Amino acid sequence: MPAKYDALQREFEQRVINHLKGHWEGDAAEAAFVTMGKARTEYENAATEAERIAKLLLDAHGEFAASQKQLHALLDEARNDHYKVYDDGRVEDVDPRQDSPTASASPGLAEERKKKLDSLVSRLTRVLEVATAADEAASSALERDANGDSQSFNTSVYTTLDSVEADQAAALMNKKGRLSDAEITKLNLLLSANKNDPEFSRDFAVKTGGENMLSKYNELMSPPAGTTLSKAQLAQLKELKANLGTTIGTATTSDDGGRPNKDITNFQNDLLKAGQRDFNANPTESPYGLSGYQLTSSLMSEGKWDKDFLQDYGDALITAEKNGANAGQNPDAYWGYPRTLGTTNIGALDPMAGYMDALGHNPAASTEFFGSETSVNGEKVDHYDYLMKDRHWPEGAGYTGDEKNPSGYNNLGHALESAVTGHSYDSSPSAETPAHNEQQAALMGKLVHDVSQDGELAHDGMQDSLGRMTAEYMPDVYRGLRPDGDSEKDFLPLGDSVSADFGEQDITRFMYTVGQDPDGYAAISYGQTQYSAELMDYHLSHPDAYGLSDKETIYEISETGAQVDGILSLGRQDSDMQESAEGDKVFNDRLASAGDWGKSITTIGIGVGTAAITSPVGGAVAGEVAGHVSGQLIDMVVSDLERDSSDEALYASGADLESSKSAVQAQLRNAATISVTENSSGLNQAEIDTAVNNGAEAGNGYANDKSRSYIEDRGYGE
């Protein structure tokens, strides 16, 4: 159509206007030429409008085609996995195993099938959300007439759905007064469908503005007193918080990889300035509302936010707290009463909680932040020391915004976990997770040393993170525990990872401390299981790589694996939880429930957190069977723990050290047996058992002797 309109414009000019020029004069001619000029412009405008509509239709077609392709792929996946998807979107499990008493009774089948069903429903819903938002945006754009009553063509037609949807979402955020339920639903749809789209997020953020965005968010989360919200309305607002936070996070990163975008820089600066002011949706009802820091941090717990902005924001937050402390206010008082959450109770009073989760979603930002400092009134404030040692963290769900985790130390653990592992705290490591770098290893080493010196620094709420961090540094742990670690680096390879260089005393005390918490115990236990199994399998499949016989390999790995387990068992035995009536059950339940995470770390082979290992003769050697042996082993552990605590249970280690010793020997024996079988080693079962038992006995002895000595030196066990 643009080409046809262009051709008409040229024909009109040549056959009408040019023919009359020079042949027609006077008042009538002048008026006619003005009219003909307008007609020529209309032809041009018609071509422009057609071109812009074409771009919009192409964009819509691309969105619909992508959604349709994803939908077909999901339907194929469902069909192949024995799920039936009905026309109304219902999904039913039609796996024939459900009708088999034997299969349906197997541990974990029902839970596994339910997880897959929920995942399918979630992904199907997501595809339909995106398609619906695109459909409504295209309809709105095509029906829109920016010229109003004018009969002329419209040259301001949208060319992308992103710009349509960004305008619609920004208009809702900029609307005066409280949004209706239908408008909140519409805003949720727009944000949910586009929250990871940089173009939409940037346009939306810029058109909404930082301060205005916080004001509207505060208003939505703080309805007037006396307002009663249904469960569905509360669910919508919680969803809005998540969608808005992710969208704004995407907006702050929308110019990453390219030149800084001035509009986004201004938006980020507006958020920083707004942190210092109070927002109150209902001024007549309370003298103080939430501060900009509290509102921004509430949103920050969602999505991934820009690294540089997070540095500036963290500096500003610590500066505000230090100035409050200089005025005699600790964080409880500074961020607490008379500030209160709205009647929805959505958000968090302690802005450091949401900020820590933001760091937890951005590994590069968290590593940099914990390695830097802030200058406050001429005083240097080390970020790590302030947050880990000096800051008083307010307690309570109102401060964290999370009833299940009312301790801000839980959020601190998330940030530290991201900082030392190189991946988000709420995702598992993978083969793509970068090798540990110098900054990450140094921070992990500092953390281990500090907790070793003062066990109180392993605060309640962060032990699960400390446990997972340790699991991903298991090669470093093994090196630290072996007296000849330096000469055995080839036996315990790190690949491209920088060594954390744990001291034997430090890592022993650290694991003893973290092992007193059921979650910390479970994570390190699975790290030991994974690393021992994969290391054993690697060496048996490469018998000439390091010069040890198969029996020596099994003995050495069993010795260090049992030492790790022995240290954990001592911590478990001495914990307050274990000494309670239900302690043994709690530890075993946590070990069972952490099984999925345990299996997730088996996918990366030898050296948790590294993509590959390097042999002494050069050449990267990835674990060809990575996760194969340890995956089987962890399945055995979980299956055994899910059974009752009968005498024949192999892995359900109880309160006493002997049962724990038996459990780790069983794990190591099975790991060795599977590896020997997989690699056609000539060892018989008796030789395997002897190597494992001798190694494990030695390791347990080292753990008991050294742990007690080191722990008593620190004041434990007295």
Side-chain angles (χ1 to χ4, degrees):
M1 286 188 73
K4 290 181 179 179
Y5 276 120
D6 283 338
L8 283 173
Q9 187 269 333
R10 289 193 300 272
E11 186 178 4
F12 177 73
E13 189 161 359
Q14 293 167 4
R15 297 184 60 182
V16 180
I17 297 178
N18 291 344
H19 273 279
L20 292 174
K21 279 183 178 178
H23 301 285
W24 190 17
E25 296 179 351
D27 293 342
E30 289 179 8
F33 279 122
V34 169
T35 300
M36 286 185 285
K38 292 179 180 178
R40 179 177 56 192
T41 299
E42 283 298 292
Y43 280 123
E44 292 174 352
N45 290 346
T48 299
E49 182 171 356
E51 182 179 16
R52 295 179 72 87
I53 290 175
K55 289 179 179 178
L56 179 71
L57 290 172
L58 282 171
D59 190 40
H61 175 264
E63 289 272 4
F64 296 141
S67 293
Q68 189 183 60
K69 183 178 180 180
Q70 292 171 34
L71 198 59
H72 282 304
L74 285 172
L75 293 174
D76 289 341
E77 178 187 332
R79 193 177 304 110
N80 293 336
D81 211 1
H82 302 292
Y83 291 97
K84 183 175 181 180
V85 181
Y86 292 90
D87 290 345
D88 62 1
R90 288 182 299 114
V91 182
E92 181 183 358
D93 188 352
V94 292
D95 190 334
R97 289 180 296 174
Q98 302 284 11
D99 298 326
S100 165
T102 304
S104 60
S106 65
L109 176 63
E111 184 180 353
E112 178 187 349
R113 296 295 296 174
K114 178 67 166 56
K115 283 182 179 178
K116 287 185 177 181
L117 188 147
D118 290 344
S119 173
L120 273 170
V121 170
S122 175
R123 287 179 289 157
L124 285 166
T125 301
R126 171 70 181 163
V127 171
L128 295 175
E129 265 187 358
V130 171
T132 299
D135 185 38
E136 292 180 359
S139 175
S140 174
L142 292 170
E143 292 174 357
R144 171 179 175 268
D145 185 2
N147 291 345
D149 295 333
S150 171
Q151 298 299 307
S152 61
F153 286 94
N154 177 16
T155 58
S156 62
V157 173
Y158 286 109
T159 59
T160 67
L161 296 184
D162 277 341
S163 56
V164 181
E165 292 168 326
D167 275 358
Q168 290 177 332
L172 290 169
M173 288 296 287
N174 291 327
K175 180 187 174 184
K176 298 295 184 184
R178 189 166 180 82
L179 300 183
S180 67
D181 288 348
E183 288 171 326
I184 292 174
T185 299
K186 174 67 174 178
L187 181 59
N188 253 333
L189 175 65
L190 290 166
L191 296 180
S192 178
N194 296 283
K195 60 189 176 186
N196 296 311
D197 184 325
E199 182 181 345
F200 166 89
S201 299
R202 180 179 60 249
D203 289 350
F204 167 73
V206 170
K207 289 170 180 173
T208 302
E211 188 166 333
N212 182 67
M213 184 268 295
L214 294 180
S215 181
K216 178 59 73 173
Y217 172 63
N218 183 53
E219 177 185 290
L220 289 169
M221 300 302 156
S222 305
T227 303
T228 301
L229 298 178
S230 67
K231 288 184 179 180
Q233 289 173 314
L234 275 173
Q236 279 276 32
L237 290 177
K238 288 178 181 178
E239 184 183 348
L240 181 61
K241 170 186 177 294
N243 290 332
L244 184 58
T246 303
T247 303
I248 298 303
T250 302
T252 65
T253 62
S254 62
D255 58 353
D256 287 1
R259 291 188 301 176
N261 182 287
K262 181 181 177 183
D263 290 334
I264 284 299
T265 300
N266 290 339
F267 175 80
Q268 293 175 168
N269 289 336
D270 285 346
L271 284 182
L272 288 172
K273 291 176 185 175
Q276 302 169 30
R277 62 153 288 195
D278 287 328
F279 291 80
N280 197 343
N282 305 296
T284 62
E285 295 167 15
S286 108
Y288 298 102
L290 296 178
S291 76
Y293 288 128
Q294 290 170 310
L295 294 168
T296 303
S297 289
S298 170
L299 293 171
M300 266 188 180
S301 61
E302 311 288 345
K304 183 177 180 179
W305 291 56
D306 177 70
K307 179 170 77 74
D308 293 335
F309 175 70
L310 288 176
Q311 302 305 309
D312 294 339
Y313 187 83
D315 287 345
L317 204 52
I318 289 177
T319 299
E321 286 195 349
K322 292 293 286 185
N323 286 334
N326 292 337
Q329 291 181 298
N330 64 22
D332 299 70
Y334 191 73
W335 302 117
Y337 185 82
R339 303 177 192 276
T340 58
L341 298 177
T343 55
T344 61
N345 211 32
I346 296 174
L349 290 175
D350 184 0
M352 200 63 78
Y355 175 61
M356 288 294 104
D357 277 353
L359 290 179
H361 289 132
N362 191 327
S366 56
T367 304
E368 180 178 317
F369 185 77
F370 283 112
S372 57
E373 58 188 16
T374 297
S375 180
V376 182
N377 301 322
E379 173 194 358
K380 297 291 185 183
V381 180
D382 181 272
H383 295 160
Y384 168 86
D385 285 341
Y386 175 70
L387 295 169
M388 187 72 180
K389 302 175 183 178
D390 303 333
R391 185 180 193 260
H392 172 73
W393 288 78
E395 294 279 335
Y399 282 103
T400 65
D402 185 355
E403 291 183 358
K404 295 180 180 178
N405 296 292
S407 168
Y409 287 119
N410 182 63
N411 308 92
L412 174 59
H414 294 165
L416 288 168
E417 188 174 351
S418 163
V420 303
T421 63
H423 62 82
S424 174
Y425 77 88
D426 51 4
S427 66
S428 297
S430 69
E432 286 71 44
T433 301
H436 299 151
N437 59 37
E438 187 174 346
Q439 291 75 26
Q440 291 168 337
L443 179 60
M444 185 65 185
K446 180 177 175 59
L447 185 63
V448 167
H449 176 73
D450 287 346
V451 172
S452 167
Q453 296 299 307
D454 181 3
E456 296 298 320
L457 291 178
H459 305 282
D460 287 343
M462 66 188 299
Q463 293 98 330
D464 57 339
S465 289
L466 294 176
R468 290 190 293 268
M469 293 150 63
T470 310
E472 295 190 40
Y473 275 80
M474 197 52 64
D476 310 72
V477 171
Y478 272 48
R479 287 185 176 196
L481 291 175
R482 295 175 70 87
D484 300 321
D486 287 341
S487 64
E488 295 176 352
K489 286 182 179 178
D490 291 337
F491 184 62
L492 302 169
L494 284 172
D496 296 330
S497 279
V498 175
S499 173
D501 292 330
F502 302 136
E504 185 181 24
Q505 178 173 273
D506 280 349
I507 194 60
T508 299
R509 286 174 169 174
F510 178 85
M511 287 196 296
Y512 168 85
T513 301
V514 178
Q516 293 182 58
D517 176 82
D519 290 313
Y521 172 91
I524 301 178
S525 180
Y526 279 128
Q528 179 275 127
T529 300
Q530 188 271 345
Y531 187 60
S532 293
E534 294 303 325
L535 189 62
M536 204 175 287
D537 189 68
Y538 173 75
H539 281 303
L540 291 182
S541 64
H542 300 83
D544 299 325
Y546 298 100
L548 290 179
S549 69
D550 289 352
K551 285 179 66 175
E552 289 172 323
T553 293
I554 293 171
Y555 176 91
E556 294 291 337
I557 297 172
S558 297
E559 178 188 271
T560 313
Q563 192 172 342
V564 172
D565 182 80
I567 295 166
L568 291 177
S569 298
L570 286 168
R572 170 175 172 167
Q573 184 187 51
D574 293 347
S575 73
D576 294 336
M577 174 63 72
Q578 184 65 74
E579 292 173 2
S580 66
E582 72 278 9
D584 200 40
K585 183 180 186 305
V586 172
F587 271 90
N588 287 342
D589 284 350
R590 298 292 175 84
L591 197 58
S593 63
D596 284 344
W597 179 84
K599 282 186 282 189
S600 76
I601 65 173
T602 66
T603 60
I604 57 176
I606 301 173
V608 181
T610 66
I613 66 170
T614 306
S615 73
V617 294
V621 184
E624 296 92 345
V625 286
H628 180 67
V629 175
S630 58
Q632 292 182 61
L633 197 59
I634 290 172
D635 273 334
M636 292 178 187
V637 176
V638 173
S639 295
D640 205 38
L641 286 163
E642 287 176 345
R643 291 162 42 186
D644 60 17
S645 298
S646 55
D647 292 338
E648 66 268 18
L650 289 175
Y651 301 125
S653 54
D656 61 80
L657 297 178
E658 283 304 315
S659 59
S660 177
K661 220 158 89 174
S662 298
V664 76
Q665 284 182 349
Q667 291 174 29
L668 292 165
R669 189 162 51 248
N670 280 335
T673 301
I674 296 170
S675 297
V676 165
T677 303
E678 294 285 341
N679 297 293
S680 303
S681 171
L683 295 180
N684 59 42
Q685 191 63 52
E687 291 173 313
I688 295 171
D689 292 349
T690 299
V692 168
N693 292 341
N694 289 345
E697 283 291 338
N700 272 295
Y702 292 144
N704 188 64
D705 296 342
K706 290 189 292 188
S707 297
R708 287 300 180 208
S709 172
Y710 294 153
I711 292 158
E712 287 170 7
D713 284 347
R714 192 174 67 175
Y716 282 105
E718 294 178 348

